[in-house]
Amino acid sequence: MKSSLLKVYESTQKRELPKHELEFGRTFTDHMFVMDFSESEGWHDAKIVPYEPLSIDPAAMVFHYGQSVFEGLKAYLSPQGEPLLFRPEKNIARLNKSNERLCIPAIDEEFLLDALKELIQIDQNWIPSANGTSLYIRPFIISTEPFLGVALSTQYKLIIILSPVGAYYKEGINPVKIAVENEYVRAVRGGTGEAKTGGNYASSLKAQEQAANGGYAQVLWLDGVEKKYIEEVGSMNVFFKIKDEVVTPELNGSILNGVTRDSVIQLLEYWGVNVIERKVTIEEIYEEYKKGNIDEVFGSGTATVISPVGQLDWNNYQMVFNNGETGNLVQKVYETLTGIQYGRLEDPFNWIEQVNVRRRVNKVG
Amino acid sequence: MKSSLLKVYESTQKRELPKHELEFGRTFTDHMFVMDFSESEGWHDAKIVPYEPLSIDPAAMVFHYGQSVFEGLKAYLSPQGEPLLFRPEKNIARLNKSNERLCIPAIDEEFLLDALKELIQIDQNWIPSANGTSLYIRPFIISTEPFLGVALSTQYKLIIILSPVGAYYKEGINPVKIAVENEYVRAVRGGTGEAKTGGNYASSLKAQEQAANGGYAQVLWLDGVEKKYIEEVGSMNVFFKIKDEVVTPELNGSILNGVTRDSVIQLLEYWGVNVIERKVTIEEIYEEYKKGNIDEVFGSGTATVISPVGQLDWNNYQMVFNNGETGNLVQKVYETLTGIQYGRLEDPFNWIEQVNVRRRVNKVG
Ligand SMILES: Cc1ncc(COP(=O)(O)O)c(C=O)c1O
Ligand SMILES: Cc1ncc(COP(=O)(O)O)c(C=O)c1O
């Protein structure tokens, strides 16, 4: 599929850019990207159109059998006012990995990256410029065949929508309080945990609701089999600084392979910090905590980038890390990552991708 | 919520009833039921409208985080041409159980049953009359708030659509070939297995695809923790006749509480058969099989009612039951259940519910 096949239908009614403080994920831009899949044509009819409601048959399989995947990444405005993407090829590759697990036909990764850039260019003035703000990018695929039967859909829609978002933390980063979840399970070996698919998130809501009622920001998920290995924290990967090492749960098929996680690992190694990906039990964390060996714990994910854990409650035990304050390493990781993302710092890893590259496009209408 | 609040907008263009042989889940009737939920109004604006595409924001949470539930039941035409429902209150109660797990606001069960009956009455001529055919009823709830964040939606839509369906087996029931699934997991303790929610089905597609490629009709699911306890077969509950007893996996939180399962248990007990709900390992089944103690195995579910298992493959072992033919007990259960469902046999359990009861309705338009 060639980029030249992308059709652009520009919106005639540009909406007003938001003036208020931006809440995460509530405001959307003027345009969206849409591409269809059918058995006879494969992925086809790629187009950028005005943001508008979808018209979908009530029997569309996504409503019933949840065959869907999504991604989440961001565009940042550089000091020069240029839009930058952070490792977008990783998200697009992960989309295809999710597709594989969910039996959704693979997409052409190069084409999708081009289409994504085109969409961002068209809605470029929607990228907010205030400190810590960015443009959240949400590609997703849904099964649209109108059929009531548990089977692979033969029709899909890939859509990309854009949402200008505020800083997750208004005054820099703030440590959060987390509860270890002992009852509910987010994902399990042999399940869909490694894929970004709706079911994992639907399944997490109940635990999250209970945690919120108990005054916690998120839950820490244990593995579904033995209920002792640490997997993730909320919708983030998790890191523990134990003495001079940083430990993070190894990718085991039920943990999401986070782009931020990978970037944190590379960054720490670049600094000469020993990072170990392995199995970690909650018991071990508690034992090390009691010995005074853990002073920094944090989550990593696109939305917050880095989120320090100030307190972790496990059954009747309360673990407070670094007096509930943001530690030095966490702070440094956060500032370096965001510095690279916004083009303020050097990018020794070649993570940053420019958006404004001229390409051939059929402008229609 | 009163039934009198149900508004009916009748379709002016009645579509043609299908003349061809009915495929399962592909044809839909003239009308559908729709009801909305908002935080301020609760469930409101219940109406029956012409069947039509939904207009849904691309940011609607169901597309991203899979917060959705559904049900499946059938209306049958009696010899007198009267539509009958089979234990519909069980499905509606289960919908609310699914709602609870998925943090979706509960619905008024009595009201929904009334609305369901009203919808069936309006599209009554869509209930097919050929042998073994019926009207499949699909209530489902989707989260519709346009918001990109893992959280509880504050807006939902409950919809009921109807699909005239053919006999699952053209010449009575036919034994199927099943493979035990060792790698993929459908659901796990602490997960959403007991709820009828899209994620469970999305997660099952990969295993089902592999099984189909291997010439199998379905997979037999093992528990996600120890991978040795039998849970379900495809989208059905499963029964094993071991010597003079019938054994079925006990409800453990990750198995769906099937209406057909419950009916089979009651029916067998009514006949004086010893039915035991307990943990069953695949190992035990194989051992009993080798001793010649298992001659009938079958799945139960609304779509097929009863589906005999002719062959079960576990690793390199092949188990063939009753020479791959439908056994006497399976046949008798199938005939009795369908006999009751179609109003041909006496209903000692009070399972059948009439549809045509006069109620007050605001006819609009
Ligand atoms: C379950 C889960 N884990 C981890 C992450 C972090 O991944 P990333 O760093 O790619 O945003 C996310 C968010 O994308 C997630 O949804
Ligand atoms: C996973 C699963 N198990 C079992 C069943 C059987 O349940 P019921 O007899 O209520 O149709 C179904 C179908 O509804 C199902 O989806």
Side-chain angles (χ1 to χ4, degrees), chain A residues 70-72 91 94 136 186 193 195-196 200-201 232-237 255-262 300-303 305, chain B residues 150:
Chain A
F70 69 97
E71 268 304 325
N91 293 89
R94 190 170 64 186
Y136 185 76
R186 187 194 84 92
K196 252 181 117 69
N200 299 338
Y201 301 84
E232 307 198 33
V233 49
S235 295
M236 295 182 289
N237 296 112
I255 292 177
L256 195 79
N257 185 353
V259 177
T260 320
R261 174 186 183 278
D262 184 78
S300 74
T302 296
V305 188
Chain B
V150 183

Side-chain angles (χ1 to χ4, degrees), chain A residues 12-25:
Chain A
T12 49
Q13 297 197 336
K14 305 270 151 120
R15 276 173 297 162
E16 243 185 272
L17 300 187
K19 296 260 171 345
H20 54 276
E21 211 166 318
L22 289 163
E23 214 189 319
F24 198 95

Side-chain angles (χ1 to χ4, degrees), chain B residues 319-333:
Chain B
M319 296 174 246
V320 176
F321 306 108
N322 200 42
N323 294 317
E325 280 159 32
T326 301
N328 292 335
L329 185 70
V330 178
Q331 188 72 39
K332 191 175 160 199
V333 169

Side-chain angles (χ1 to χ4, degrees), chain A residues 185-329:
Chain A
V185 166
R186 187 194 84 92
V188 71
R189 171 197 64 192
T192 55
E194 206 179 20
K196 252 181 117 69
T197 181
N200 299 338
Y201 301 84
S203 142
S204 77
L205 294 172
K206 188 91 182 174
Q208 201 177 290
E209 189 193 26
Q210 288 185 0
N213 290 341
Y216 298 95
Q218 286 285 1
V219 301
L220 182 135
W221 297 106
L222 300 178
D223 76 285
V225 175
E226 300 186 54
K227 296 271 187 73
K228 64 183 204 187
Y229 297 107
I230 293 171
E231 298 219 316
E232 307 198 33
V233 49
S235 295
M236 295 182 289
N237 296 112
V238 64
F239 292 83
F240 299 87
K241 182 162 166 280
I242 308 180
K243 286 198 258 184
D244 290 335
E245 289 176 349
V246 174
V247 175
T248 190
E250 66 189 10
L251 301 177
N252 61 356
S254 75
I255 292 177
L256 195 79
N257 185 353
V259 177
T260 320
R261 174 186 183 278
D262 184 78
S263 309
V264 169
I265 292 173
Q266 284 193 48
L267 193 60
L268 290 173
E269 284 173 347
Y270 182 76
W271 289 338
V273 178
N274 202 10
V275 190
I276 304 165
E277 302 177 59
R278 63 165 166 89
K279 291 189 171 184
V280 199
T281 65
I282 182 67
E283 181 88 40
E284 174 191 351
I285 293 301
Y286 181 63
E287 292 305 324
E288 293 290 350
Y289 170 77
K290 278 199 300 190
K291 288 189 224 149
N293 289 338
I294 304 190
D295 55 354
E296 301 198 46
V297 178
F298 61 99
S300 74
T302 296
T304 64
V305 188
I306 294 295
S307 188
V309 176
Q311 183 177 329
L312 181 60
D313 287 6
W314 177 43
N315 299 327
N316 295 320
Y317 308 126
Q318 289 196 347
M319 297 173 244
V320 176
F321 306 108
N322 200 43
N323 294 317
E325 279 159 32
T326 301
N328 293 334
L329 186 69

Side-chain angles (χ1 to χ4, degrees), chain B residues 346-358:
Chain B
E346 208 199 327
D347 171 21
F349 310 98
N350 250 315
W351 282 338
I352 292 305
E353 177 122 3
Q354 310 250 318
V355 168
N356 291 333
V357 188
R358 270 293 113 213

